[in-house]
Amino acid sequence: VNEDKNLFVVGDDDQSIYSWRGADPHNILNFETAYPGAKKIRLEQNYRSSSYIVQAASSIIIKNTKRAEKVLWTQNPPGEKIQYVLEYDAESESWWIADHIQEDMKFFPYKDTAILYRTNAQSRQLEDVLRRQKIPYRIYGSLRFYDRIEIKDMIAYCRLLSNQDDDVAFKRVLNTPTRGIGKKALEDIEKETFSNDLSMLQAAKKIIKEEPSRTTKKIESFIQLMNRLKHFLKDNPLSEFLPYLLKELDYKTYLQKKFPDQLQDKMSNLHELGAAIAEYSANNSKSSLANWLKDISLADSGDNSEEGGVHLMTLHAAKGLEFRKVYIAGVEDGLIPHSNSMEQEHDIEEERRLFYVGMTRAREKLLLLSARRRRILNNWQSYDPSRFLKDIAKDTISGLSGSLKEFISNLDEDDEDTNCRHLKIGSSVTHPTYGRGTIKSMDHDFGILKATIDFFDFGLRKVSLHHLETVKSLGGISYDYHR
């Protein structure tokens, strides 16, 4: 600041959602302490959203204890009440959104519509349904699900297993994860391929037999891996294949070394791919890897990302944007707020700010959706509607109270039975989906007793007690596919 003390700052602590990038709402909250005598001008009028949306968003953000005092208001008309929808699972949630988009097209064209979600992995189900309904869409801030590097790696393995003549897939997976098979070895395989009119996989097998060396031993190890994968597919359900593949590759360790800052995001994408395979397997009696690959080939047939399409993005990517109509999918504890942000109050407050930012992207119409359950790999996990929903002003939203009552009545009622009473903070437990972990806290959500578990490979997750077993009861042994 110069000697004339000329300093002008504009900011909104309620929209501070990037703490991992160094964003800190206290820069605003403590400004007057750092610069006494500064004049404060509150910008409280919202020019974007309808009155119902402003009131609902305000009722959410006011619950944060550490925020600059302000009262949001607008002169815009009330508009439509916010609509809350509780669906059976993630697939029905996506179909509801797609059907509603088409029904509402007369009033809200595709280009005026956005679908927001907490994690990139959530886009898979939405993309699949939008493609099937021939609804054009564009993803912002990320790639389409099947274009993400970790997904392309897994699909390449699947393609090679289904067709040993797929040389493009062979070249992608031969050294992924890294096996010490260098450029020279690949050139030798390519030379053998062209000289003898073989596939690259066949050429690799020929080289192993005819030219044994240190490098060919590494190639032989790869061939043996492919054989194990082929035998597994033959003897086991398709839904169990991806967990087995990830374990055989030790793929998580590979991602941890290559993409340490993106590990959680990429593992979530892989879990979602596992859910896609399990979903396909459950819906098709004659499911096979080859048929599943044909099914997802829709993802690559034609460009569905038209300029005038529906906008898909994470809540973080939506900051600064606005749309006439907004859907927020996955409004559940574990997603909003995220399971990794449930232990510390300051993390919960940032998640609340993130939800507030998402809500205020909508100008005219806002729809919030939850699912009773979602697939994690090939297992189902039940979710509670987001704790933030309870804070929304009741006269601004429709569909909330009845849906929550219905949800609670359909949940298992044995959360606090005698089999769970021995569980306590610090207990070492196992979960059928998340594996082994330690109980960090226990509390009631919507009348249901839940435990927050720090799982070894999944981090913090909140789950119902009846899903848990103590490690002792299993003889101290737990199995986790990517450990």
Side-chain angles (χ1 to χ4, degrees):
V1 183
N2 60 32
E3 59 185 23
D4 295 323
K5 297 184 178 180
N6 291 328
L7 178 64
F8 185 80
V9 175
V10 178
D12 184 2
D13 56 298
D14 287 338
Q15 297 191 55
S16 179
I17 58 174
Y18 289 102
S19 61
W20 74 91
R21 293 181 181 173
D24 185 354
H26 290 90
N27 291 331
I28 297 292
L29 300 178
N30 299 333
F31 188 83
E32 289 176 283
T33 302
Y35 298 96
K39 181 180 179 182
K40 181 192 293 184
I41 303 172
R42 292 189 178 93
L43 305 176
E44 299 175 313
Q45 183 176 0
N46 181 300
Y47 295 91
R48 172 191 296 145
S49 305
S50 69
S51 179
Y52 275 136
I53 293 173
V54 171
Q55 290 177 56
S58 297
S59 64
I60 289 285
I61 200 63
I62 201 171
K63 296 295 183 180
N64 272 4
T65 58
K66 295 173 183 171
R67 63 185 294 264
E69 184 182 346
K70 60 184 86 71
V71 179
L72 301 176
W73 61 279
T74 184
Q75 289 183 331
N76 293 337
E80 294 186 48
K81 284 190 176 184
I82 295 160
Q83 186 172 354
Y84 175 72
V85 178
L86 177 64
E87 283 294 323
Y88 180 67
D89 56 22
E91 183 179 12
S92 56
E93 175 191 61
S94 296
W95 278 106
W96 192 96
I97 291 173
D99 290 343
H100 191 268
I101 286 173
Q102 290 179 319
E103 291 170 4
D104 228 13
M105 259 198 68
K106 182 177 179 181
F107 306 102
F108 296 94
Y110 295 145
K111 65 182 178 64
D112 293 334
T113 301
I115 307 174
L116 311 183
Y117 37 82
R118 179 62 176 84
T119 68
N120 277 311
Q122 289 172 258
S123 78
R124 193 278 304 178
Q125 187 77 71
L126 291 161
E127 290 183 68
D128 284 355
V129 171
L130 291 176
R131 280 194 301 271
R132 292 180 189 281
Q133 292 295 84
K134 296 184 173 16
I135 297 175
Y137 68 89
R138 296 187 68 191
I139 290 189
Y140 293 80
S142 180
L143 297 170
R144 295 187 304 171
F145 182 81
Y146 293 105
D147 287 340
R148 295 166 193 171
I149 185 169
E150 62 278 9
I151 303 302
K152 293 178 80 171
D153 285 348
M154 295 303 106
I155 290 178
Y157 273 101
C158 295
R159 285 171 49 199
L160 185 58
L161 284 164
S162 298
N163 176 16
Q164 70 169 7
D165 294 334
D166 193 328
D167 291 346
V168 174
F170 177 90
K171 289 173 74 172
R172 184 178 187 97
V173 303
L174 179 63
N175 211 31
T176 304
T178 306
R179 298 184 176 90
I181 301 173
K183 185 178 179 181
K184 175 66 168 56
L186 182 59
E187 289 174 352
D188 290 343
I189 294 172
E190 288 179 326
K191 184 178 179 181
E192 194 71 38
T193 297
F194 295 132
S195 300
N196 296 283
D197 193 24
L198 302 171
S199 71
M200 294 189 75
L201 184 60
Q202 291 170 329
K205 292 177 180 179
K206 187 171 185 292
I207 288 174
I208 290 169
K209 291 180 180 178
E210 298 178 357
E211 304 173 27
S213 69
R214 188 175 179 181
T215 300
T216 55
K217 285 183 179 179
K218 295 174 182 177
I219 299 174
E220 184 176 13
S221 177
F222 171 75
I223 300 297
Q224 290 170 348
L225 165 68
M226 297 304 295
N227 289 335
R228 290 197 302 276
L229 296 175
K230 200 166 186 177
H231 286 305
F232 183 90
L233 274 170
K234 183 179 178 182
D235 300 332
N236 296 275
L238 178 61
S239 60
E240 296 179 9
F241 174 66
L242 188 68
Y244 180 79
L245 174 60
L246 293 171
K247 173 180 172 291
E248 281 291 307
L249 298 178
D250 194 15
Y251 195 74
K252 183 184 178 184
T253 300
Y254 165 72
L255 290 178
Q256 200 158 21
K257 291 177 180 176
K258 191 168 184 179
F259 307 101
D261 297 335
Q262 303 174 51
L263 177 63
Q264 180 180 313
D265 196 40
K266 291 186 178 297
M267 288 305 299
S268 293
N269 287 333
L270 291 168
H271 296 161
E272 186 60 31
L273 181 66
I277 296 173
E279 183 180 291
Y280 173 81
S281 181
N283 294 332
N284 295 272
S285 56
K286 296 182 179 179
S287 59
S288 69
L289 198 61
N291 288 337
W292 174 70
L293 288 168
K294 288 179 184 176
D295 191 66
I296 65 165
S297 65
L298 287 169
D300 297 316
S301 58
D303 185 5
N304 208 46
S305 56
E306 297 178 22
E307 188 70 33
V310 174
H311 309 268
L312 269 66
M313 68 194 76
T314 64
L315 289 163
H316 282 98
K319 184 178 178 182
L321 303 178
E322 61 180 66
F323 308 92
R324 288 182 60 208
K325 181 174 68 172
V326 169
Y327 300 85
I328 302 181
V331 185
E332 301 140 29
D333 272 7
L335 288 173
I336 308 173
H338 195 272
S339 56
N340 289 349
S341 302
M342 288 184 170
E343 194 162 348
Q344 302 293 331
E345 184 57 33
H346 63 83
D347 290 331
I348 290 286
E349 294 214 344
E350 179 160 336
E351 291 290 302
R352 191 179 281 109
R353 292 194 294 269
L354 183 60
F355 189 38
Y356 165 80
V357 166
M359 294 175 72
T360 52
R361 299 310 93 196
R363 290 177 8 219
E364 299 173 33
K365 193 166 185 174
L366 175 63
L367 302 98
L368 310 176
L369 293 100
S370 305
R372 289 185 176 91
R373 62 179 195 164
R374 295 181 187 272
R375 283 188 191 270
I376 304 293
L377 285 173
N378 59 340
N379 294 305
W380 288 105
Q381 173 64 40
S382 296
Y383 285 87
D384 288 346
S386 172
R387 64 190 65 190
F388 298 151
L389 291 169
K390 295 182 290 186
D391 298 331
I392 296 178
K394 298 300 182 285
D395 59 347
T396 66
I397 187 167
S398 63
L400 185 59
S401 59
S403 295
L404 293 186
K405 288 176 182 176
E406 179 189 0
F407 180 87
I408 292 171
S409 67
N410 281 283
L411 284 175
D412 292 330
E413 297 179 355
D414 60 351
D415 284 329
E416 297 184 75
D417 65 16
T418 55
N419 293 326
C420 298
R421 288 175 186 167
H422 64 285
L423 296 176
K424 59 185 180 180
I425 294 173
S427 293
S428 185
V429 295
T430 61
H431 185 277
T433 299
Y434 299 129
R436 188 170 172 176
T438 303
I439 296 179
K440 307 300 288 186
S441 65
M442 299 170 73
D443 54 54
H444 284 82
D445 276 338
F446 293 96
I448 305 299
L449 186 61
K450 297 283 183 175
T452 298
I453 313 293
D454 187 2
F455 290 102
F456 290 169
D457 288 323
F458 287 84
L460 293 172
R461 293 286 190 274
K462 180 170 278 193
V463 299
S464 298
L465 294 193
H466 69 274
H467 289 306
L468 302 174
E469 292 187 64
T470 60
V471 172
K472 185 178 180 181
S473 70
L474 298 178
I477 299 172
S478 64
Y479 174 74
D480 192 0
Y481 77 92
H482 53 61
R483 283 191 64 76

